[in-house]
Amino acid sequence: MFALTNKVAIVTGASSGIGRATAKLFAEAGAKVVVAARRQAELDALVAEIEEADGTAIALAGDVRDEAYANALVDLAVDRFGGLDIAFNNAGSVGQMGPVPDMSLKMWHETIDINLTGAFIGAKYQVPALLERGGGSLIFTSSFVGRTAGMPGMAAYAAAKAGLIGLTQVLAAEYGAQGLRVNALLPGGTDTPGATTTTPEARAFVEGLHALKRMAQPDEIARSALYLASDASSFTTGTALFADGGVSINRT
Ligand SMILES: NC(=O)c1ccc[n+]([C@@H]2O[C@H](COP(=O)([O-])OP(=O)(O)OC[C@H]3O[C@@H](n4cnc5c(N)ncnc54)[C@H](OP(=O)(O)O)[C@@H]3O)[C@@H](O)[C@H]2O)c1
C-alpha cells in the first residue's frame, strides 16, 4: 500500500533536509525519482547514494523560481522515465526574518517567490503530465507557521506557507474528478540545515514548543510525504496534513 513501484516522482529541495530524506525514501519504495535543487554536487551525491541502494534517480539542478526549469524537470521525468505520477514541491527557505516595518519589498518578494510562486510554477507544468497518467499525487511542503502559529519575524514565510494551503485546496477541487490528489504537508520543527535553531538556546526553545518536546528528524517527515504520495492515502485530498509533533496544539 505504501509501495511506489513503477511510479515516477519529482522531488524539489532534494539537496538537503526533508527533500533529501524523501527522495531516498521514495526511491526505496520503488519510485524513479527526479531530484531538484540549485546545488549540483549535493544532487549528484544523492543520486549516487540512491543508485548504491539499487534505486533509480536522476538530477537536474536549477532554481524553482525559473519557469524553464520547472518545464525541464517534467520533460526529464517524461523522457527518461515515461511520465509523472508524484510531485513533491518541497523547496523552501525561511528567508530574511524581522518585523514587517523593517522588511524590504525585495526580501518579501524573494521569500514569497521561493516558497509560494516556485510551487505554483512547479504545479503549472506538473499537472498536465500527472493528468496524462490518470492523476497521481501532488504535494506541497507548507508549515505550521502560517496555519496554527503566529511566529514573530516570519511574516513573508508565514504568508507563503498559508498561500500554499489555498493553492492546494483549489488544485484539489480543480482536478479531483480526473484522479489527481493534492495535499499540503505541514511539518513541525525539523532538524535540517534550513531550521532556524542555530544556538542551543534557540533549539531548546523550539523543542519546548512541541508536545513531543523534540524536533523531527527529516526521515519522519519523509514518511508522511510517502503516505501522501502512495495509495495509502487514496481518499485524502485537499488536506493540510500536520506532521508537527503537536506544536500546533501544545500550550505547555
Ligand atoms: N526544518 C523545519 O523546521 C521546517 C518546518 C516546516 C516546514 N519546513 C519546510 O520544509 C521544506 C524543506 O526545508 P528543510 O527544513 O529540509 O530545509 P533545507 O535543508 O534548507 O532544504 C531546503 C531545500 O530547498 C532547496 N531550495 C531552496 N531555495 C531554492 C530555490 N530557489 N530553487 C531550488 N531549490 C531551492 C535547497 O536546495 P539548494 O540550496 O541546493 O537550492 C534545499 O534542498 C521547506 O519548504 C521548508 O520551508 C521546514
Side-chain angles (χ1 to χ4, degrees):
M1 189 154 298
F2 287 87
L4 301 181
T5 317
N6 297 325
K7 302 287 186 192
V8 180
I10 291 173
V11 175
T12 73
S15 62
S16 176
I18 292 168
R20 189 176 208 284
T22 303
K24 286 179 70 175
L25 189 61
F26 281 7
E28 206 180 294
K32 300 179 179 75
V33 189
V34 176
V35 295
R38 288 165 300 185
R39 286 170 292 168
Q40 182 79 58
E42 278 76 0
L43 293 178
D44 290 344
L46 172 62
V47 168
E49 241 179 82
I50 288 173
E51 287 176 345
E52 265 165 42
D54 289 330
T56 304
I58 188 165
L60 184 65
D63 193 308
V64 292
R65 292 167 287 185
D66 175 6
E67 218 172 325
Y69 178 56
N71 196 358
L73 287 171
V74 173
D75 284 350
L76 187 60
V78 172
D79 294 346
R80 285 296 177 92
F81 300 140
L84 184 66
D85 305 290
I86 297 154
F88 184 40
N89 290 295
N90 164 77
S93 153
V94 169
Q96 194 183 39
M97 290 174 62
V100 167
D102 297 342
M103 194 175 283
S104 70
L105 198 53
K106 182 173 179 290
M107 291 315 300
W108 168 268
H109 280 306
E110 187 163 322
T111 304
I112 297 287
D113 284 353
I114 292 175
N115 290 284
L116 179 57
T117 311
F120 155 74
I121 293 170
K124 179 176 152 68
Y125 288 94
Q126 293 152 6
V127 165
L130 290 162
L131 295 178
E132 188 76 23
R133 297 256 276 202
S137 174
L138 183 54
I139 308 160
F140 299 98
T141 306
S142 175
S143 172
F144 69 100
V145 174
R147 183 65 161 179
T148 54
M151 304 291 268
M154 301 179 90
Y157 181 73
K161 293 303 188 185
L164 284 174
I165 295 169
L167 176 63
T168 295
Q169 292 174 176
V170 170
L171 283 167
E174 281 180 346
Y175 296 107
Q178 291 168 75
L180 177 60
R181 296 184 299 105
V182 187
N183 291 287
L185 177 57
L186 282 60
T190 307
D191 197 0
T192 71
T196 52
T197 48
T198 46
T199 64
E201 294 75 26
R203 189 184 173 100
F205 171 73
V206 169
E207 286 176 344
L209 295 174
H210 295 73
L212 294 179
K213 301 300 172 198
R214 65 177 180 85
M215 292 174 74
Q217 290 305 307
D219 283 349
E220 297 182 278
I221 308 303
R223 289 200 290 274
S224 294
L226 177 60
Y227 166 70
L228 291 175
S230 70
D231 288 346
S233 62
S234 55
F235 204 59
T236 300
T237 195
T239 59
L241 179 74
F242 289 103
D244 76 345
V247 71
S248 293
I249 52 83
N250 193 52
R251 296 291 180 273
T252 60

